[in-house]
Amino acid sequence: MILSETTNMLADCGAVTFAPNEVSATALGTLASKLGFGTVANYTQFAELPKNRLTYFLVHGQLPDGSKQRIIHGLRSSDHVFRRFAPIVCFVTAGPRHQIVPLVQMGFDEVLFVTDPVADMSHKLNDQLKHELIYVDADHYFGPDRRRIERIDPNDPRRKPGGSPFKQIRVVRDPRMGISTMDIAH
């Protein structure tokens, strides 16, 4: 396999895995290594990782939803920018592709199927780097803009204004430069 620039960028990042059991944790760690992450650690080693390194948080899809929500909430409520805006990715084993919608609504940055080719997964993980992503800060949600999965155009009249107040934040993640954020006026 020829290593692409995508894989090389992941080499500058760390990965922390969360899984329901030791077998799943080992499998997810092995997959993270194949994807090209520079450092791979189980969540029990999380405190030992450098705080100023871009880290992906890889969550096994078989964890209960409550556990997934606690992981997301814990990271998104961190005072440290490298944790608060870190890519949180859920890996699901199989099933219909429409199952990703509730996971995106939960707040995952990306949802990947472990049955997909490693090169495709690596490309999608690379899409979390070096370009603008929009995060939403609202009363009951903080994370990537969930509307990215909607098929309705943002200017479509069916999109209803209103709801609770929110703030949009522009996020750019770069493994070598860190994470930059900027509030977007709306």
Side-chain angles (χ1 to χ4, degrees):
M1 178 172 137
I2 298 173
L3 292 179
S4 66
E5 184 178 331
T6 300
T7 304
N8 290 337
M9 284 202 314
L10 294 177
D12 292 329
C13 301
V16 173
T17 61
F18 295 86
N21 55 52
E22 191 61 38
V23 172
S24 297
T26 300
L28 192 54
T30 300
L31 177 59
S33 295
K34 286 181 183 178
L35 289 166
F37 284 101
T39 305
V40 179
N42 187 290
Y43 75 93
T44 59
Q45 302 158 322
F46 175 55
E48 301 168 25
L49 295 175
K51 288 193 179 205
N52 292 331
R53 182 176 192 184
L54 184 59
T55 301
Y56 281 69
F57 293 90
L58 311 180
V59 179
H60 196 288
Q62 290 181 344
L63 277 174
D65 285 350
S67 296
K68 290 178 199 148
Q69 289 169 331
R70 281 190 295 279
I71 292 166
I72 291 170
H73 178 74
L75 291 168
R76 298 287 184 233
S77 62
S78 173
D79 290 334
H80 196 280
V81 71
F82 279 85
R83 305 295 186 243
R84 188 169 172 85
F85 295 101
I88 305 174
V89 181
C90 186
F91 286 84
V92 293
T93 52
R97 295 224 176 238
H98 71 271
Q99 73 178 320
I100 69 168
V101 173
L103 295 168
V104 169
Q105 290 172 337
M106 194 181 291
F108 284 100
D109 292 271
E110 185 63 70
V111 180
L112 300 174
F113 286 84
V114 295
T115 54
D116 287 347
V118 170
D120 291 352
M121 288 188 279
S122 181
H123 177 76
K124 288 179 181 178
L125 293 172
N126 179 61
D127 282 348
Q128 297 293 321
L129 302 173
K130 290 193 173 185
H131 70 275
E132 183 177 295
L133 304 165
I134 303 298
Y135 268 55
V136 174
D137 188 359
D139 290 341
H140 300 290
Y141 177 76
F142 178 79
D145 188 350
R146 296 182 285 194
R147 294 176 296 179
R148 70 192 191 276
I149 62 170
E150 292 179 3
R151 297 191 190 278
I152 299 173
D153 183 278
N155 298 318
D156 191 296
R158 291 177 289 171
R159 195 181 278 271
K160 295 179 181 165
S164 61
F166 67 95
K167 174 172 67 171
Q168 289 183 319
I169 303 167
R170 180 185 73 88
V171 177
V172 178
R173 301 176 184 124
D174 186 315
R176 295 192 177 139
M177 304 299 290
I179 296 176
S180 65
T181 64
M182 181 174 64
D183 290 356
I184 300 172
H186 62 278

